[in-house]
């Protein structure tokens, strides 16, 4: 409740009674009640209007996951990497493996373990200068 504990609320009520006086206090209390009801009504209307415009997808959003305080770059990278691996293995786990699906994980793992192949030209002799490509520079 706005960060006010019970003791602070009692102190504020006593100050209100002293400042406003017992004659005007019921009038101001009723005005405050009307204001709070109006604010609640406006918030409910805004929520309903947003739900109508966005649709039922709004209820499906996991707001805790979107909280910036939950931001952890390591977790985000780990989940992104796991999503890529799940995409590779997904056809195998969905049913009967096909010829492409059976070879895709092995090919993906083999490609990840294999060193990069660099084309190798003829070896240079001792004292021979390396070729120089003017168009490449």
């Amino acid at each position: 409740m706005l960060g006010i504990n019970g003791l602070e609320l009692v102190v504020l009520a006593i100050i209100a009674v002293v400042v406003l006086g017992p004659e005007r206090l019921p009038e101001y209390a009723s005005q405050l009640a009307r204001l709070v009801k109006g604010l609640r009504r406006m918030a409910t209307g805004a929520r309903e209007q947003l739900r109508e415009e966005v649709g039922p997808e709004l209820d499906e959003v996991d707001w805790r996951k979107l909280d910036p305080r939950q931001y952890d770059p390591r977790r985000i990278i780990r989940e992104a990497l796991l999503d890529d691996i799940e995409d590779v293995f997904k056809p195998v786990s969905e049913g009967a493996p096909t010829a492409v699906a059976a070879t895709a994980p092995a090919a993906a793992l083999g490609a990840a373990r294999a060193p990069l192949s660099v084309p190798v030209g003829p070896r240079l002799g001792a004292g021979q200068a390396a070729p120089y490509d003017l168009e490449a520079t």
Side-chain angles (χ1 to χ4, degrees):
M1 187 177 127
L2 302 175
I4 299 175
N5 62 25
L7 181 61
E8 292 172 348
L9 186 64
V10 169
V11 170
L12 287 175
I14 291 172
I15 291 173
V17 168
V18 170
V19 171
L20 297 176
E23 308 87 38
R24 293 184 287 172
L25 189 60
E27 178 185 336
Y28 285 115
S30 65
Q31 286 180 359
L32 179 64
R34 282 194 301 270
L35 177 70
V36 169
K37 286 179 185 177
L39 290 175
R40 283 187 183 170
R41 197 174 321 118
M42 285 180 10
T44 303
R47 187 181 308 126
E48 292 301 321
Q49 182 179 0
L50 182 66
R51 186 169 283 127
E52 288 174 7
E53 291 178 4
V54 174
E57 295 88 19
L58 183 66
D59 295 332
E60 298 170 3
V61 174
D62 185 12
W63 295 107
R64 292 174 299 187
K65 191 173 184 179
L66 299 175
D67 186 5
R69 293 174 290 184
Q70 302 295 324
Y71 177 73
D72 182 17
R74 293 172 293 192
R75 179 184 52 83
I76 293 170
I77 292 171
R78 186 179 328 114
E79 288 175 358
L81 292 175
L82 289 177
D83 288 344
D84 291 343
I85 290 175
E86 289 173 358
D87 290 342
V88 170
F89 287 108
K90 191 172 186 178
V92 175
S93 64
E94 286 183 351
T98 61
V100 174
T103 58
L109 289 176
R113 292 185 191 139
L116 295 176
S117 61
V118 178
V120 178
R123 293 207 174 258
L124 298 176
Q128 187 179 3
Y132 184 72
D133 187 5
L134 288 175
E135 295 177 7
T137 56

